[in-house]
């Protein structure tokens, strides 16, 4: 198996970013370049001066962009343009590899020429909440699998679920399909993954390729995040239309409720209902963002800089 380049968009990195790079340094035989697209140079310099960063880690390529230039899809495409490997791996700057076999295990599914994307398992941090721990196990189970277009009928939106927190891509297919959408608020990974299935390729879930990655989001934070999720679903009806994402959310709520009861912590049901309500409200409004005033849309959104460009290009009210 050939080497893969690693592409990491970075913004206001914490110590976890250096731990991530340390873990990658333990598996250099499978890694070509590590390409860092950093938003605002000053934030990276606060953690570690660039000169020291380049001296500490081998094969590092660093590019800086401004906050206004960042976009979930375009920025990642920029990273890909700096790669010359037949495979590349997307990571976020807070996704810490669980062991020294991450790259190896992410690349294994590509032995099947039909596989275009392979994504890894996200495991909760030790201090994550009980609800977050269950959510991770719900979305990222212990068993690996492969998904094709035929699975949309039975799996719904889960069939093209994939996450750029930790995902590998076959470059040839990526280029053929046009890469990630160049201007999107969220979900660039799933938008591309749906295209993969529609073109007859497969998506692999590599459960043995694990990263530690979780968030203890407040209800309000969940609202903002799911508002952007709803916006992306509204903007890409060809990807998400006709598939009821809410049904998967309802299943998560029911299973989470049963889990906390089983753990003997029934009081967490109140927290579950609050967070779930915030998620649904955000998603509901996000899907209907075109009916809302721009000022309200911006205040509801997690990615508020996205709307600056929208405003310049004339807010989409169609």
């Amino acid at each position: 198996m050939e080497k893969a380049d690693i592409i990491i968009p970075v913004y206001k990195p914490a110590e976890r970013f250096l731990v991530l790079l340390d873990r990658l340094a333990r598996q250099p035989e499978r890694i070509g370049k590590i390409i860092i697209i950093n938003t605002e140079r000053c934030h990276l310099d606060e953690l570690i001066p660039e000169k020291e960063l380049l001296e500490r880690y081998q094969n590092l390529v660093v590019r800086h962009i401004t906050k206004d230039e960042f976009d979930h899809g375009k920025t990642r495409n920029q990273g890909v343009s700096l790669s010359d490997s037949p495979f590349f791996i997307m990571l976020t700057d807070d996704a810490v590899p669980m062991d020294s076999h991450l790259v190896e295990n992410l690349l294994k599914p590509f032995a099947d020429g039909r596989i275009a994307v392979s994504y890894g398992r996200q495991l909760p941090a030790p201090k994550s909440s009980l609800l977050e721990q269950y959510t991770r196990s719900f979305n990222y189970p212990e068993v690996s699998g492969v998904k094709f277009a035929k699975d949309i009928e039975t799996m719904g939106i889960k069939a093209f679920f994939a996450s750029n927190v930790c995902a590998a891509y076959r470059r040839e297919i990526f280029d053929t399909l046009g890469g990630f959408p160049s201007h999107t608020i969220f979900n660039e990974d799933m938008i591309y993954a749906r295209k993969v299935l529609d073109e007859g390729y497969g998506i692999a879930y590599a459960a043995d390729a694990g990263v530690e990655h979780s968030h203890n989001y407040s209800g309000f934070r969940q609202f903002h995040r799911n508002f952007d999720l709803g916006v992306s679903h509204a903007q890409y009806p060809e990807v998400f239309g006709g598939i009821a994402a809410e049904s998967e959310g309802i299943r998560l709520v029911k299973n989470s409720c049963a889990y906390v009861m089983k753990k003997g912590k029934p009081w967490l049901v109140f927290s579950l209902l609050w967070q779930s309500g915030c998620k649904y409200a955000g998603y509901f409004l996000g899907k209907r963002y075109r009916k809302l005033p721009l000022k309200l849309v911006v205040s509801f959104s997690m990615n508020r800089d996205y709307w600056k460009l929208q405003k310049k290009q004339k807010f989409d009210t169609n």
Side-chain angles (χ1 to χ4, degrees):
M1 181 64 71
E2 300 189 54
K3 292 185 177 182
D5 289 337
I6 311 292
I7 300 169
I8 312 174
V10 174
Y11 180 55
K12 293 185 177 180
E15 285 294 330
R16 286 179 64 84
F17 175 56
L18 299 182
V19 176
L20 185 167
L21 293 178
D22 287 339
R23 297 279 178 90
L24 290 178
R26 298 176 189 174
Q27 39 195 320
E29 71 281 356
R30 306 307 301 267
I31 296 175
K33 294 180 289 189
I34 299 176
I35 300 166
I36 296 170
I37 307 296
N38 175 66
T39 300
E40 301 295 352
R41 182 167 191 155
C42 61
H43 297 311
L44 182 61
D45 286 342
E46 287 176 7
L47 176 67
I48 181 172
E50 184 175 332
K51 182 179 179 181
E52 182 181 340
L53 183 71
L54 294 172
E55 290 174 351
R56 184 185 299 190
Y57 302 103
Q58 297 181 348
N59 301 325
L60 221 60
V61 176
V62 181
R63 295 290 185 272
H64 300 283
I65 61 174
T66 66
K67 194 174 180 182
D68 287 343
E69 292 173 316
F70 175 81
D71 176 85
H72 280 273
K74 183 179 71 175
T75 298
R76 287 177 168 85
N77 286 336
Q78 181 181 346
V80 176
S81 72
L82 300 174
S83 170
D84 53 10
S85 172
F87 302 97
F88 62 88
I89 295 172
M90 288 288 169
L91 292 173
T92 54
D93 62 17
D94 58 348
V96 176
M98 296 299 293
D99 55 41
S100 60
H101 301 289
L102 174 71
V103 176
E104 176 186 357
N105 291 335
L106 265 180
L107 296 181
K108 279 181 182 177
F110 292 116
D112 182 341
R114 300 173 300 169
I115 300 302
V117 181
S118 169
Y119 69 100
R121 185 181 183 192
Q122 295 182 34
L123 296 149
K127 293 183 179 180
S128 61
S129 68
L130 190 64
L131 288 172
E132 177 67 4
Q133 291 174 32
Y134 181 76
T135 298
R136 293 292 148 179
S137 67
F138 179 87
N139 288 325
Y140 303 94
E142 297 179 356
V143 180
S144 299
V146 176
K147 301 173 289 188
F148 290 94
K150 62 180 177 60
D151 297 308
I152 295 176
E153 184 176 347
T154 55
M155 297 180 67
I157 198 169
K158 278 284 190 177
F160 51 98
F161 176 78
S163 173
N164 270 340
V165 166
C166 176
Y169 295 83
R170 193 187 296 272
R171 177 66 183 272
E172 182 181 6
I173 296 175
F174 186 83
D175 288 345
T176 299
L177 299 185
F180 300 120
S182 60
H183 183 55
T184 181
I185 192 170
F186 202 52
N187 261 340
E188 80 292 334
D189 37 26
M190 290 185 66
I191 294 167
Y192 175 78
R194 176 62 190 266
K195 191 183 299 185
V196 161
L197 296 188
D198 290 344
E199 293 297 323
Y201 300 108
I203 300 168
Y205 169 56
D208 54 354
V211 292
E212 183 184 281
H213 181 264
S214 56
H215 296 289
N216 289 324
Y217 283 152
S218 67
F220 292 113
R221 187 76 167 168
Q222 295 283 16
F223 173 90
H224 293 303
R225 184 179 186 277
N226 281 270
F227 180 85
D228 289 355
L229 178 66
V231 169
S232 71
H233 284 201
Q235 290 179 336
Y236 290 89
E238 71 279 12
V239 175
F240 302 103
I243 297 177
E246 293 93 335
S247 60
E248 190 66 16
I250 292 170
R251 190 166 74 90
L252 173 58
V253 172
K254 289 180 178 179
N255 288 7
S256 297
C257 186
Y259 180 74
V260 298
M261 295 297 288
K262 182 180 178 180
K263 288 292 185 179
K265 297 185 177 182
W267 58 88
L268 290 179
V269 171
F270 296 104
S271 178
L272 171 64
L273 293 176
W274 163 246
Q275 291 203 16
S276 299
C278 290
K279 288 180 182 178
Y280 179 73
Y283 180 74
F284 180 89
L285 291 169
K287 285 195 72 175
R288 295 157 179 81
Y289 79 97
R290 293 185 177 97
K291 298 180 180 180
L292 302 175
L294 178 56
K295 287 185 178 180
L296 203 57
V297 168
V298 174
S299 67
F300 286 168
S301 178
M302 177 180 282
N303 186 9
R304 296 180 179 181
D305 289 318
Y306 168 85
W307 301 101
K308 291 181 180 179
L309 182 58
Q310 290 290 92
K311 189 174 182 180
K312 291 177 183 177
Q313 294 178 343
K314 189 178 180 181
F315 182 49
D316 178 9
T317 56
N318 297 322

